[in-house]
């Protein structure tokens, strides 16, 4: 915190550790409802039909938004829209809306009232759950706009270079912002884990949230400095203030590798889901790519990508990183990430169905072989030595043996065709409890592991990563998850396997001491958090980090682990 006075400086919570300067631009998301009608003017069956049609339209829009976010922003952000579908279908809200319509309300008013009640109840719970009120508002606004037949949120025409001032931003509003155009945003409501903050982080948009009423005093067109590191908004900043904030950015980009005081080298890499993101990862000082989600090649199109298309993309990523590791994950769709033209049924329980490596080589061998051909060819290009390939959702040794056998047969075919190829480093994503228990056997077959805590947590706790109601159980700080992570690290290090982590947990700077103390060799995350994580790792005392990890492993609850981490920071 600086010592600036409160007229000049507004405090909140920094959402993204970067700084932006621009002119204030106020955004009002209110929606004008039609006037209440007399009961005898309303025909309930017609209103009910309008409501159900609007609900279906919002369902379809959320599905589309989810796929778009998955491709452009990231997995966790995309899952927000899955959670929104649950709010849309929440029985309490749906029943309250239907009842109000049956008693003579217009659909718009019935929706607004039913959501308002749930928003008030959620807000009253306080803490992290209260931050989900943004999501409820988002769903309500979508439904109301559909009913009123109003165009989508008014953030499509934000003038360039402005700092958006709003009561709150919904996840869909945030995801629509162009990080190259907008200078930042400030919201009166929200916290670090609100979805708008998560999306801002992954897009690298300077943001301060939760400032309270102090925003009312800001005049339109006033110049604002959004200091996302210190959680401050400076009004009419002078040049010195701007320079100071920029110098203070934890996001000081470092291209060098970092290690602890005891010389434990930790590779800090980026998770990417597009070629654009590969470029931006390099700008944030990533030591390499730790998770290249290849799904984006397959989404929002009518047919699978060609071998050539994939080969060119891998080659480009390798040359951007110029000899630093580029770790590509083979296709991870199916089940929860349906791709219509692949014609794979989601099944009754998509998260336990045909997804990840299960889809290939068994169900769609040609897709898998094409991707492996592109990868083996890329491994033979100028920077191909830096290529690593991993398989998602492995749950048995047989599965891994089968995919490795396909790799061998693809290599033989390329050989016979006289096409240049090389064999990259192979690894397994540890995302299932089965893979944790089989880690010693898996480690004998590959060169590395990457722990996917997003999935691993949901399978260990039997709590869906998309289900808001069990969010508290989906906690990677659970000692159960931490002990699994430790078991995997020990199994890997007993051989020559290195171990990284690419779940969201790896990108939280507060977790870095614990994760390094547990013994991870690599952390892979949204590029924007790389500088901050590097600065935490650099200068970490090994003994202190290890003792934090030991205490966390011995803890009996997530709450205890969270307190240990809070005490540390
Ligand atoms: C994970 O499960 O932690 C992971 C990184 O994979 P995804 O989020 O793409 O399922
Ligand atoms: Mg996963």
């Amino acid at each position: 915190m600086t010592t600036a006075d409160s007229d000049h400086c507004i405090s909140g919570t920094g959402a993204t550790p970067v700084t932006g300067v621009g002119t204030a631009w106020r955004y009002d998301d209110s929606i004008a409802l039609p006037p209440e009608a007399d009961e005898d003017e309303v025909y309930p069956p017609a209103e009910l039909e309008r409501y159900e049609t609007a609900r279906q339209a919002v369902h379809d829009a959320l599905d589309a938004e989810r796929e778009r976010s998955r491709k452009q922003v990231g997995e966790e952000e995309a899952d927000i829209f899955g959670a929104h579908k649950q709010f849309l279908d929440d029985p309490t809200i749906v029943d309250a809306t239907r009842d109000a319509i049956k008693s003579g309300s217009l659909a718009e008013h019935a929706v607004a009232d039913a959501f308002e009640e749930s928003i008030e109840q959620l807000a009253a719970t306080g803490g992290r759950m209260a931050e989900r009120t943004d999501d409820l508002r988002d769903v309500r606004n979508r439904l109301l706009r559909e009913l009123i037949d109003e165009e989508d949120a008014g953030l499509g025409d934000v003038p360039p270079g402005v700092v958006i001032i709003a009561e709150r931003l919904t996840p869909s509003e945030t995801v629509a912002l162009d990080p190259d155009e907008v200078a930042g945003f400030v919201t009166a409501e929200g916290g670090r884990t609100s979805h708008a903050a998560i999306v801002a982080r992954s897009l690298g948009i300077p943001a301060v949230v939760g400032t309270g009423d102090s925003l009312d005093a800001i005049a339109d067109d006033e110049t604002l400095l959004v200091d996302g590191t210190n959680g401050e908004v400076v009004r009419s900043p002078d040049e010195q203030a701007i320079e100071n904030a920029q110098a203070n950015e934890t996001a000081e980009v470092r291209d060098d590798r970092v290690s602890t005081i005891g010389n434990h080298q930790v590779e800090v890499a980026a998770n990417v889901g597009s070629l654009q993101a590969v470029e931006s990862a390099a700008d944030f000082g990533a030591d390499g790519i730790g998770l290249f989600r290849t799904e984006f090649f397959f989404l929002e199109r009518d047919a699978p990508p060609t071998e050539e298309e994939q080969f060119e993309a891998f080659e480009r990523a390798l040359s951007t990183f110029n000899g630093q590791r580029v770790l590509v994950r083979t296709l991870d769709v199916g089940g929860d990430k349906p791709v219509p033209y692949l014609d794979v049924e989601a099944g009754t329980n998509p998260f336990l169905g045909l997804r990840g490596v299960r889809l290939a080589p068994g169900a769609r061998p040609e897709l898998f072989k094409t991707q492996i051909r592109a990868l083996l060819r890329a491994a033979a290009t100028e920077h191909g030595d830096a290529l690593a390939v991993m398989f998602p959702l492995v749950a048995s040794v047989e599965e891994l043996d089968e995919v490795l056998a396909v790799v061998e047969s693809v290599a033989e075919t390329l050989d016979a065709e006289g096409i240049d190829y090389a064999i990259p480093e192979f690894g397994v994503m540890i995302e299932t409890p089965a893979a944790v228990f089989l880690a010693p056997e898996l480690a004998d077959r590959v060169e590395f592991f990457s722990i996917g805590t997003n999935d691993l947590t949901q399978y260990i706790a039997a709590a869906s990563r998309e289900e808001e109601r069990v969010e508290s159980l989906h906690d990677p700080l659970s000692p159960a998850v931490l002990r699994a992570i430790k078991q995997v690290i020990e199994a890997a290090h007993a051989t020559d396997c290195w171990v990284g982590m690419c779940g969201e947990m790896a990108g939280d700077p507060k977790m870095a001491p614990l994760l390094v103390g547990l013994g991870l060799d690599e952390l892979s995350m949204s590029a924007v958090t790389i500088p901050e994580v590097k600065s935490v790792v650099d200068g970490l005392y090994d003994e202190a980090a290890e003792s934090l990890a030991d205490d966390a492993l011995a803890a009996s609850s997530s709450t205890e682990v969270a307190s240990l981490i809070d005490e540390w920071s």
Side-chain angles (χ1 to χ4, degrees):
M1 284 268 277
T2 66
T3 50
D5 63 89
S6 58
D7 284 349
H8 181 65
C9 179
I10 295 169
S11 292
T13 303
T16 316
V18 282
T19 299
V21 181
T23 45
W25 186 82
R26 212 166 275 281
Y27 172 59
D28 179 6
D29 70 346
S30 56
I31 298 174
L33 296 182
E36 282 276 19
D38 287 338
E39 260 180 46
D40 53 0
E41 290 170 20
V42 178
Y43 180 52
E47 288 303 300
L48 273 177
E49 196 180 326
R50 282 179 66 226
Y51 168 58
E52 298 301 350
T53 309
R55 197 151 69 95
Q56 186 54 49
V58 174
H59 250 283
D60 297 346
L62 286 171
D63 282 338
E65 196 86 52
R66 189 167 169 187
E67 282 319 306
R68 193 172 72 81
S69 298
R70 199 162 250 154
K71 189 173 161 194
Q72 292 176 356
V73 190
E75 185 66 23
E76 193 189 357
E77 295 72 15
D79 288 343
I80 294 170
F81 298 102
H84 283 197
K85 281 174 60 171
Q86 282 159 10
F87 281 136
L88 183 65
D89 294 333
D90 184 290
T92 314
I93 298 177
V94 171
D95 289 350
T97 309
R98 286 180 181 150
D99 288 349
I101 292 176
K102 284 178 198 153
S103 329
S105 256
L106 282 174
E108 289 86 343
H109 288 277
V111 164
D113 294 345
F115 271 87
E116 200 48 45
E117 199 169 325
S118 291
I119 289 167
E120 276 169 19
Q121 280 167 3
L122 202 57
T125 60
R128 281 190 71 181
M129 280 314 285
E131 288 180 2
R132 299 285 94 94
T133 52
D134 280 357
D135 298 277
L136 270 173
R137 286 193 183 92
D138 202 343
V139 178
R140 175 200 63 191
N141 290 357
R142 278 177 185 274
L143 261 174
L144 289 177
R145 286 199 183 94
E146 199 58 52
L147 284 163
I148 294 167
D149 208 13
E150 193 185 276
E151 276 301 298
D152 211 356
L155 277 175
D157 53 0
V158 184
V162 298
V163 170
I164 300 167
I165 305 293
E167 194 56 27
R168 69 191 75 83
L169 288 182
T170 63
S172 35
E173 286 162 348
T174 317
V175 99
L177 296 175
D178 180 345
D180 293 331
E181 292 284 327
V182 70
F185 70 76
V186 187
T187 59
E189 295 184 3
R192 197 174 185 282
T193 55
S194 60
H195 284 143
I198 294 175
V199 173
R201 246 186 323 278
S202 60
L203 290 173
I205 299 175
V208 172
V209 297
T211 57
D213 296 342
S214 6
L215 296 185
D216 298 347
I218 295 174
D220 285 346
D221 290 339
E222 197 174 319
T223 302
L224 298 178
L225 162 70
V226 182
D227 176 351
T229 306
N230 291 308
E232 289 178 346
V233 183
V234 184
R235 300 174 59 185
S236 308
D238 55 24
E239 269 179 36
Q240 190 58 49
I242 296 174
E243 261 176 44
N244 289 349
Q246 284 167 346
N248 270 338
E249 275 187 14
T250 337
E252 180 207 343
V253 174
R254 300 178 47 165
D255 292 325
D256 56 331
R257 299 209 164 212
V258 286
S259 50
T260 60
I261 301 285
N263 212 21
H264 171 181
Q265 274 237 352
V266 182
E267 195 172 316
V268 185
N271 291 353
V272 298
S274 68
L275 276 178
Q276 229 179 337
V278 172
E279 309 286 333
S280 125
D283 294 342
F284 278 104
D287 296 335
I289 300 296
L291 169 62
F292 191 142
R293 290 183 164 106
T294 54
E295 293 80 87
F296 81 92
F297 287 128
F298 291 79
L299 302 172
E300 288 192 11
R301 50 192 298 161
D302 305 325
T306 62
E307 174 184 327
E308 213 47 39
E309 211 177 312
Q310 296 186 66
F311 166 76
E312 279 167 20
F314 299 143
E315 190 184 24
R316 211 170 112 200
L318 284 161
S319 72
T320 305
F321 271 87
N322 197 17
Q324 292 182 295
R325 186 185 289 115
V326 173
L327 203 171
V328 176
R329 173 173 77 185
T330 59
L331 183 61
D332 187 12
V333 293
D336 65 315
K337 301 179 202 167
V339 179
Y341 62 82
L342 294 186
D343 207 17
V344 178
E345 286 253 335
T348 49
N349 193 337
F351 274 121
L352 301 182
L354 208 51
R355 61 171 298 219
V357 79
R358 298 166 186 189
L359 192 63
R364 298 303 299 259
E366 74 290 355
L367 288 181
F368 188 64
K369 281 189 184 156
T370 303
Q371 190 164 58
I372 295 292
R373 274 178 72 98
L375 285 163
L376 298 199
R377 286 178 53 207
T381 58
E382 190 186 352
H383 300 289
D385 283 353
L387 182 67
V389 176
M390 65 181 174
F391 307 112
L393 213 80
V394 169
S396 76
V397 167
E398 290 86 340
E399 237 171 2
L400 178 60
D401 285 344
E402 199 182 348
V403 291
L404 291 174
V406 173
V407 170
E408 219 169 284
S409 86
V410 167
E412 281 165 14
T413 313
L414 288 170
D415 214 17
E417 291 171 8
I419 297 174
D420 266 358
Y421 74 92
I423 301 292
E425 212 183 9
F426 282 106
V428 163
M429 276 194 85
I430 305 289
E431 299 180 283
T432 63
V436 173
F437 295 120
L438 293 169
E441 287 78 6
L442 298 172
D444 280 340
R445 289 163 165 80
V446 290
E447 279 97 6
F448 68 91
F449 288 156
S450 181
I451 305 177
T453 43
N454 308 338
D455 275 317
L456 184 59
T457 307
Q458 79 164 341
Y459 293 126
I460 286 184
S464 168
R465 58 194 275 183
E466 291 187 350
E467 167 71 80
E468 204 72 22
R469 289 167 300 176
V470 293
E471 196 194 12
S472 61
L473 280 172
H474 188 273
D475 187 349
L477 286 187
S478 154
V481 177
L482 299 183
R483 289 174 205 172
I485 293 171
K486 186 65 185 172
Q487 201 170 318
V488 169
I489 295 171
E490 281 176 350
H493 287 172
T495 69
D496 279 339
C497 242
W498 60 267
V499 203
M501 177 181 284
C502 59
E504 288 301 314
M505 182 187 199
D508 184 342
K510 278 171 74 182
M511 302 296 154
L514 170 65
L515 299 179
V516 172
L518 285 168
L520 285 167
D521 305 300
E522 181 239 32
L523 299 172
S524 191
M525 61 204 68
S526 295
V528 71
T529 55
I530 287 176
E532 210 178 337
V533 170
K534 279 194 172 185
S535 79
V536 174
V537 174
D538 188 26
L540 202 60
Y541 282 92
D542 298 59
E543 294 77 12
E546 282 159 20
S547 126
L548 170 66
D550 287 345
D551 291 347
L553 288 167
S556 50
S557 67
S558 316
T559 320
E560 243 180 82
V561 177
S563 317
L564 288 168
I565 287 171
D566 282 346
E567 280 161 26
W568 175 286
S569 24

